[in-house]
Amino acid sequence: VLANLRRLDQLAIQDLREKNELLHHAYLDLQSAQLALIEKKRLEREMELAAEMQRNLLPAVLPSFEDYRFYSYLAPARHVGGDLFDVRPIDEGNVALLIADVADKGVHAALFMAVTRTLFFQETMRSSSPKDVVCAVHNALLSIGGNHLNGYGIDAFVTAFYAVLNRPSGKLTYVRAAQDRPLWLRAGRKPEALVGDGRFLGMIDGLKLQEYQIILQPGDYLLLYSDGVTDQPNEADEPYGVERLKAAFQAAGNEPDG
């Protein structure tokens, strides 16, 4: 009888130990889950703050002129991204147009976007040549990226389209640095993509860019966009694509109010 009691006591103790071990693991898992939840909320808050910073950096309203109208729309795929745009008067007759996209998404892209925006503003005031402006921005980004970001495993580079519009003549002088080709719509014609090639900014030395020109006439439309539009998939996982964008652009341009 005593032997049976001892054996039962040992089994009970072993069972209690196993249950205590399971309870301990469950407690550790719960503690880990709580810490992960706290960290997730902290990161979400940081992303919200970064998104707010990004919205404050981008123009809420673009400048308006008697002879030209400008509109913009931005919907980030995540809280924050690297898309950048602006329309900025240079002097009485010239206006700078910019659209750019920092590789990758998230906080790093937003911060690099802010740096890129500042550099473009500085260089726009120093030169009226789109080529000179973009090359100067490239050299500055190359220095920043090589010395600070790449050491942390961040491959930061920028695609950009930058142009100077001479309002009296309608002449648009531009350079394209791997950014999606803007679409040009003229009355009675189909949209056409602007010509021009050029490598992205901020990673590889020896950048060479060429300036191109078109003449905008009354009734013309120019659409600058990022690959977030054409890459957006539908329910069948099909990208929107350039051709659909062209069709939508032409349909919108044919509306009475354009």
Side-chain angles (χ1 to χ4, degrees):
V1 175
L2 290 175
N4 288 336
L5 290 175
R6 291 194 188 96
R7 185 172 61 83
L8 290 174
D9 287 343
Q10 291 174 350
L11 291 174
I13 292 172
Q14 180 64 27
D15 182 61
L16 183 60
R17 286 175 178 172
E18 291 176 356
K19 290 180 178 178
N20 284 338
E21 185 71 17
L22 291 174
L23 182 62
H24 178 67
H25 284 300
Y27 172 76
L28 292 178
D29 289 343
L30 178 60
Q31 190 178 46
S32 177
Q34 288 175 333
L35 292 174
L37 181 60
I38 293 172
E39 179 66 10
K40 180 182 177 182
K41 289 183 178 180
R42 184 186 68 81
L43 291 175
E44 288 178 348
R45 178 55 181 163
E46 288 184 359
M47 295 291 279
E48 290 173 357
L49 292 174
E52 183 179 354
M53 177 190 72
Q54 182 185 31
R55 287 192 297 268
N56 291 336
L57 286 173
L58 295 175
V61 179
L62 297 181
S64 178
F65 306 94
E66 293 181 358
D67 46 358
Y68 289 93
R69 292 181 294 173
F70 299 94
Y71 303 95
S72 64
Y73 177 77
L74 175 67
R78 305 180 188 177
H79 282 297
V80 290
D83 288 335
L84 165 64
F85 63 88
D86 205 357
V87 176
R88 178 168 289 259
I90 300 175
D91 52 39
E92 187 66 25
N94 294 287
V95 181
L97 283 66
L98 169 66
I99 184 169
D101 187 10
V102 177
D104 205 358
K105 308 296 180 187
V107 176
H108 292 133
L111 293 175
F112 208 62
M113 179 273 283
V115 172
T116 303
R117 174 180 180 271
T118 301
L119 292 172
F120 266 105
F121 284 171
Q122 291 176 344
E123 298 304 327
T124 294
M125 296 298 105
R126 293 175 182 171
S127 175
S128 60
S129 165
K131 177 182 175 181
D132 291 347
V133 167
V134 176
C135 285
V137 172
H138 165 71
N139 290 330
L141 290 176
L142 189 65
S143 174
I144 295 171
N147 292 337
H148 300 286
L149 296 179
N150 292 339
Y152 294 94
I154 302 171
D155 294 328
F157 63 89
V158 180
T159 62
F161 175 90
Y162 177 75
V164 174
L165 171 64
N166 179 259
R167 289 171 44 213
S169 66
K171 181 174 69 174
L172 184 81
T173 305
Y174 67 89
V175 294
R176 175 178 172 264
Q179 181 69 21
D180 296 81
R181 299 178 185 274
L183 300 178
W184 181 21
L185 178 61
R186 313 197 74 171
R189 301 185 184 181
K190 293 183 178 180
E192 58 181 284
L194 295 188
V195 300
D197 293 308
R199 200 182 63 224
F200 53 80
L201 313 178
M203 279 195 68
I204 304 174
D205 203 358
L207 177 68
K208 295 182 179 180
L209 294 172
Q210 181 179 345
E211 290 186 350
Y212 301 85
Q213 292 182 350
I214 61 173
I215 302 297
L216 296 175
Q217 299 178 358
D220 286 3
Y221 296 93
L222 189 65
L223 176 63
L224 280 59
Y225 64 95
S226 74
D227 59 7
V229 176
T230 51
D231 291 348
Q232 182 65 32
N234 58 16
E235 293 81 359
D237 202 31
E238 300 170 336
Y240 190 70
V242 176
E243 294 306 314
R244 291 179 183 175
L245 180 60
K246 286 182 177 180
F249 183 35
Q250 185 169 16
N254 290 333
E255 291 291 331
D257 295 331

